[in-house]
Amino acid sequence: MVSELGGAQISTLLESLPGIATVLRSPVADALVNVIRAAARLSEFDIADADELVKYATRRGLLAEDEGERLMTDLEAAHQKKLDRIAARPKSGKAKSAKASAAKPKAKPKPKAKPKPKATAKPKPAPRPAKKVPVKKGSSR
């Protein structure tokens, strides 16, 4: 006899066996997480994840079957282009950098700027004495 697990039993099972949640998680949830990580450039894009999501959307009636097929064809073509570009790259990064440095003449290093002389404190001139105003002697009232 097969008995079905109730909600409380499932949560107890999930708490008692760490890691079982990842085993019981649906492939669609895994594919969704992987595609989101790839969109954020946290991981590489995997065609299998996109295929899982397209199949799910087709089963649920979110995508028509022909639209899903066209989408997967476009994704596979784009993914193949990317793989071809990666394959066309030189194998060694060191060889590429050596060729690039050999082709370009090395620029002369810029001469160091002469340090500016430090400003020395100049002595302030002595204060000038105040002008004396001449007093007129003949103008008294």
Side-chain angles (χ1 to χ4, degrees):
M1 288 211 293
V2 176
S3 63
E4 292 188 24
L5 296 175
Q9 292 169 329
I10 290 176
S11 62
T12 304
L13 180 65
L14 292 176
E15 290 172 3
S16 63
L17 297 171
I20 197 166
T22 57
V23 173
L24 296 178
R25 192 161 83 175
S26 76
V28 174
D30 287 335
L32 187 58
V33 167
N34 292 339
V35 167
I36 291 170
R37 285 187 177 148
R41 295 181 184 225
L42 299 175
S43 66
E44 290 294 317
F45 177 75
D46 188 9
I47 284 283
D49 294 329
D51 187 45
E52 183 67 37
L53 290 175
V54 168
K55 286 178 182 176
Y56 175 78
T58 304
R59 284 193 309 265
R60 297 291 178 183
L62 303 171
L63 285 177
E65 191 171 330
D66 61 331
E67 186 179 7
E69 289 173 5
R70 279 182 290 168
L71 178 61
M72 286 309 300
T73 303
D74 292 344
L75 287 175
E76 288 167 357
H79 191 64
Q80 188 60 44
K81 276 185 181 180
K82 180 182 176 184
L83 293 176
D84 292 344
R85 279 194 312 263
I86 290 171
R89 290 183 191 163
K91 297 291 180 189
S92 173
K94 293 179 182 179
K96 182 179 178 181
S97 64
K99 288 180 184 177
S101 64
K104 294 182 183 178
K106 292 188 177 184
K108 294 180 182 177
K110 292 183 181 179
K112 293 184 179 179
K114 294 180 181 177
K116 294 182 181 179
K118 292 185 179 179
T120 57
K122 294 181 182 178
K124 292 185 179 180
R128 294 183 184 173
K131 288 186 180 180
K132 294 184 180 179
V133 179
V135 180
K136 294 183 184 177
K137 292 185 179 182
S139 64
S140 57
R141 293 188 180 175

